[in-house]
Structures are given as C-alpha cells and as structure tokens.
Amino acid sequence: ENANVRLGNVDGSSTTTFLNNEAFGHGGAHVSVDNDFTTYGNVNYLYNTAAAGNGGAFTVTGGSHVTMNAGKQTFTGNKATGKGGAIYSDVNVTINAVNKYITFSGNTANGESNAIYMNNPDSVLTINANGKTVNLNDKISGAEGYKFNINGSSGNNINVGNSIEKS
C-alpha cells in the first residue's frame, strides 16, 4: 500500500502545501481512488516523489473527474519513477486558472520532463485561463487518443514551454 493520504478534495482556502512526501507506490503526496478529486484555492505540491510508481504529486484512478480551481497552484520538483511527473490520471482533468496562476515546473517522470500524464485514451485534459495564467514548463503526455482542449478569455495566457505528445 502507498505511504500517502487518500483524498477526495483539497481546500486551500488559505494555503495548503504538500512538501517532500514520498510514496513507495503511486501518488507522492496522495492518491484519489474511485471518486472525483477537486482542489480549491492556494495549493502547492513541492518535491514529492512516487518512488515506485506514477504521479509524483498525485495519482487519480477511478472516479469521473479531476478539477483544479486556482487560487495559486504550484507543482514544482515532483518526480515519479513511472509516468506523470506531477499528475497521473485515468480520468478527465480540468485546470481552471481563475484570477490566479497555475504553474508546472521541474517535474519529471522516469527522469524526463513531465507535468501531466493522461493514461486513458478516452480522457480529456482541459485548460481554462479565465483571469490569469497557466504555465506549462514541463511536457504533457498521454495514451494515444487522449484529447487536449485549451480555452481562454482575452488578455489571459497559457504558456507552453515544452511539448505536448502521445505515447
């Protein structure tokens, strides 16, 4: 079993930080199984490790959706020996940057740059920049067939500093 917390939601009304956690399986900071996973507010995932698995910051399996609603959310220096340097997901993922920033930087999977891995070929990764900026400094990848949607309003940014690819 993993040496981490199984969560359904993270509410960072002030600031919640997952720092230097290590799992000897999947999900360096936590795993969400068979339920939706939602983050709110200011949440930081910093230097977490999935030492023998996927999802350096977190892994989501089962359930129907992952939603990240910013506040300021930062994924920095997370690593997985498998796939998904920061996030590994079997389900749809929606990232909403609303009046704050979401940044992925310095995350690695199997020694290579990777922010998000979409494992299900029928899953959808959606990024919405409505009010601020999403910075993707790490690669995004997934199983062949996954979909990637980008939406934004005038004056907002989605910065892609690496590649978007399929396995």
Side-chain angles (χ1 to χ4, degrees), residues 125-159:
L125 171 60
T126 302
I127 298 179
N128 300 309
N130 298 311
K132 280 298 179 187
T133 301
V134 177
N135 294 303
L136 300 168
N137 299 317
D138 304 316
K139 178 173 66 175
I140 294 174
S141 58
E144 185 169 342
Y146 85 97
K147 294 168 185 58
F148 184 38
N149 298 324
I150 299 175
N151 306 298
S153 54
S154 178
N156 300 295
N157 300 301
I158 298 174
N159 300 316

Coordinates of all heavy atoms in Angstrom, one line a residue, residues 125-159:
L125 N -8.0 16.3 -21.3 CA -7.4 17.3 -20.5 C -7.8 18.7 -21.0 O -7.6 19.0 -22.2 CB -5.8 17.2 -20.6 CG -5.0 18.3 -20.0 CD1 -5.2 18.5 -18.5 CD2 -3.5 18.1 -20.3
T126 N -8.5 19.5 -20.1 CA -9.0 20.8 -20.5 C -8.3 21.9 -19.6 O -8.2 21.7 -18.4 CB -10.5 20.9 -20.3 OG1 -11.1 19.9 -21.1 CG2 -11.0 22.3 -20.7
I127 N -7.7 22.9 -20.3 CA -7.1 24.0 -19.5 C -7.9 25.3 -19.9 O -8.0 25.6 -21.0 CB -5.6 24.2 -19.9 CG1 -4.9 22.9 -19.5 CG2 -5.0 25.4 -19.2 CD1 -3.4 22.9 -19.8
N128 N -8.4 26.0 -18.8 CA -9.2 27.2 -19.0 C -8.4 28.3 -18.3 O -8.2 28.2 -17.1 CB -10.5 27.1 -18.3 CG -11.4 26.0 -19.0 OD1 -11.5 25.9 -20.2 ND2 -11.9 25.1 -18.2
A129 N -8.0 29.3 -19.0 CA -7.4 30.5 -18.4 C -8.4 31.7 -18.4 O -8.6 32.3 -19.5 CB -6.1 30.9 -19.2
N130 N -9.0 31.9 -17.3 CA -10.1 32.9 -17.2 C -9.7 33.8 -16.1 O -10.1 33.7 -15.0 CB -11.4 32.3 -17.0 CG -11.9 31.4 -18.1 OD1 -11.8 31.8 -19.3 ND2 -12.3 30.2 -17.8
G131 N -8.8 34.8 -16.4 CA -8.5 35.7 -15.3 C -7.0 35.7 -15.0 O -6.5 36.7 -14.5
K132 N -6.2 34.7 -15.4 CA -4.8 34.7 -15.2 C -4.1 33.8 -16.1 O -4.5 33.6 -17.2 CB -4.5 34.3 -13.7 CG -4.7 35.5 -12.7 CD -3.7 36.6 -13.0 CE -4.0 37.7 -12.0 NZ -3.3 38.9 -12.3
T133 N -3.0 33.1 -15.6 CA -2.1 32.4 -16.5 C -1.9 31.0 -16.0 O -1.8 30.7 -14.9 CB -0.8 33.1 -16.5 OG1 -1.0 34.5 -17.0 CG2 0.3 32.4 -17.4
V134 N -1.8 30.1 -17.0 CA -1.3 28.7 -16.8 C 0.1 28.6 -17.4 O 0.2 28.8 -18.6 CB -2.3 27.6 -17.4 CG1 -1.7 26.2 -17.2 CG2 -3.7 27.8 -16.8
N135 N 1.1 28.2 -16.6 CA 2.4 28.0 -17.1 C 2.7 26.5 -17.2 O 2.8 25.8 -16.1 CB 3.4 28.7 -16.2 CG 3.3 30.2 -16.3 OD1 3.3 30.8 -17.3 ND2 3.0 30.8 -15.1
L136 N 2.9 25.9 -18.4 CA 3.3 24.5 -18.5 C 4.7 24.4 -19.0 O 5.0 24.4 -20.2 CB 2.3 23.9 -19.6 CG 0.9 23.9 -19.2 CD1 0.0 23.5 -20.4 CD2 0.6 23.0 -18.0
N137 N 5.6 24.4 -18.0 CA 7.0 24.4 -18.3 C 7.6 23.0 -18.5 O 8.7 22.8 -18.9 CB 7.9 25.1 -17.2 CG 7.5 26.6 -17.1 OD1 7.3 27.2 -18.1 ND2 7.3 27.0 -15.9
D138 N 6.7 22.0 -18.2 CA 7.0 20.6 -18.4 C 6.2 20.0 -19.5 O 5.1 20.4 -19.7 CB 6.8 19.8 -17.1 CG 7.6 20.4 -15.9 OD1 8.8 20.8 -16.1 OD2 7.0 20.6 -14.8
K139 N 6.6 18.9 -20.0 CA 5.9 18.1 -21.1 C 4.6 17.6 -20.6 O 4.5 17.2 -19.4 CB 6.8 17.0 -21.6 CG 6.2 16.1 -22.6 CD 7.2 15.1 -23.2 CE 7.6 14.1 -22.2 NZ 8.4 13.1 -22.8
I140 N 3.6 17.5 -21.5 CA 2.3 16.9 -21.2 C 2.3 15.7 -22.1 O 2.6 15.8 -23.3 CB 1.1 17.8 -21.5 CG1 1.2 19.0 -20.5 CG2 -0.2 17.0 -21.4 CD1 0.1 20.0 -20.8
S141 N 1.9 14.5 -21.6 CA 1.8 13.3 -22.5 C 0.7 12.4 -22.1 O 0.0 12.7 -21.0 CB 3.1 12.6 -22.4 OG 3.4 12.2 -21.1
G142 N 0.4 11.4 -22.9 CA -0.7 10.5 -22.5 C -0.8 9.4 -23.6 O -0.1 9.4 -24.6
A143 N -1.7 8.5 -23.2 CA -2.0 7.4 -24.1 C -2.6 7.9 -25.4 O -3.3 8.9 -25.5 CB -3.1 6.5 -23.5
E144 N -2.3 7.2 -26.5 CA -2.7 7.6 -27.8 C -4.3 7.7 -27.8 O -4.9 6.8 -27.4 CB -2.3 6.7 -28.9 CG -2.6 7.1 -30.3 CD -2.0 6.3 -31.4 OE1 -1.0 5.6 -31.1 OE2 -2.4 6.4 -32.5
G145 N -4.8 8.9 -28.2 CA -6.2 9.1 -28.3 C -6.7 10.1 -27.3 O -7.8 10.6 -27.5
Y146 N -6.0 10.4 -26.2 CA -6.5 11.4 -25.3 C -6.6 12.8 -26.0 O -5.9 13.1 -26.9 CB -5.6 11.5 -24.0 CG -4.4 12.4 -24.2 CD1 -4.4 13.7 -23.7 CD2 -3.2 12.0 -24.7 CE1 -3.3 14.5 -23.8 CE2 -2.1 12.8 -24.8 CZ -2.2 14.1 -24.4 OH -1.1 14.9 -24.5
K147 N -7.5 13.6 -25.5 CA -7.8 14.9 -26.1 C -7.3 16.0 -25.2 O -7.3 15.9 -24.0 CB -9.3 15.0 -26.4 CG -9.7 14.0 -27.4 CD -11.2 14.0 -27.5 CE -11.7 12.9 -28.5 NZ -11.2 11.6 -28.2
F148 N -6.9 17.1 -25.8 CA -6.4 18.3 -25.1 C -7.1 19.5 -25.6 O -7.0 19.9 -26.7 CB -4.9 18.4 -25.4 CG -4.2 19.5 -24.6 CD1 -4.5 19.8 -23.3 CD2 -3.1 20.2 -25.2 CE1 -3.8 20.8 -22.6 CE2 -2.4 21.1 -24.5 CZ -2.8 21.4 -23.2
N149 N -7.9 20.2 -24.7 CA -8.6 21.4 -25.0 C -8.0 22.6 -24.3 O -7.7 22.5 -23.1 CB -10.1 21.3 -24.6 CG -10.8 20.2 -25.3 OD1 -10.6 19.9 -26.5 ND2 -11.7 19.5 -24.6
I150 N -7.8 23.7 -25.0 CA -7.4 24.9 -24.4 C -8.4 26.0 -24.6 O -8.8 26.2 -25.7 CB -6.0 25.4 -25.0 CG1 -4.9 24.3 -24.8 CG2 -5.6 26.7 -24.4 CD1 -3.6 24.6 -25.5
N151 N -8.8 26.7 -23.5 CA -9.8 27.8 -23.6 C -9.3 29.0 -22.8 O -8.6 28.8 -21.8 CB -11.1 27.4 -23.0 CG -11.6 26.1 -23.6 OD1 -11.9 26.1 -24.8 ND2 -11.7 25.0 -22.8
G152 N -9.6 30.2 -23.3 CA -9.2 31.4 -22.5 C -10.0 32.6 -22.9 O -10.7 32.6 -24.0
S153 N -9.9 33.6 -22.1 CA -10.6 34.8 -22.4 C -9.5 35.9 -22.8 O -8.3 35.6 -22.5 CB -11.5 35.3 -21.3 OG -10.7 35.4 -20.1
S154 N -9.9 36.9 -23.4 CA -8.9 38.0 -23.8 C -8.0 38.4 -22.7 O -8.5 38.7 -21.6 CB -9.7 39.2 -24.4 OG -8.8 40.2 -24.8
G155 N -6.7 38.5 -23.0 CA -5.8 39.0 -22.0 C -5.2 38.0 -21.1 O -4.5 38.3 -20.1
N156 N -5.6 36.7 -21.2 CA -5.1 35.7 -20.4 C -4.1 34.8 -21.1 O -4.1 34.8 -22.4 CB -6.3 34.8 -19.8 CG -7.2 35.7 -19.1 OD1 -6.9 36.2 -18.0 ND2 -8.4 35.9 -19.6
N157 N -3.3 34.1 -20.4 CA -2.2 33.3 -21.1 C -2.2 31.9 -20.7 O -2.4 31.5 -19.5 CB -0.9 34.0 -20.7 CG -0.8 35.4 -21.1 OD1 -0.9 35.7 -22.3 ND2 -0.5 36.3 -20.2
I158 N -1.9 31.0 -21.7 CA -1.5 29.7 -21.4 C -0.1 29.5 -22.1 O 0.0 29.6 -23.3 CB -2.5 28.6 -22.0 CG1 -3.8 28.8 -21.3 CG2 -2.0 27.2 -21.8 CD1 -4.9 28.0 -21.9
N159 N 0.9 29.4 -21.3 CA 2.3 29.4 -21.8 C 2.8 27.9 -21.8 O 2.8 27.2 -20.7 CB 3.2 30.2 -20.9 CG 2.8 31.6 -20.8 OD1 2.5 32.2 -21.8 ND2 2.8 32.2 -19.6

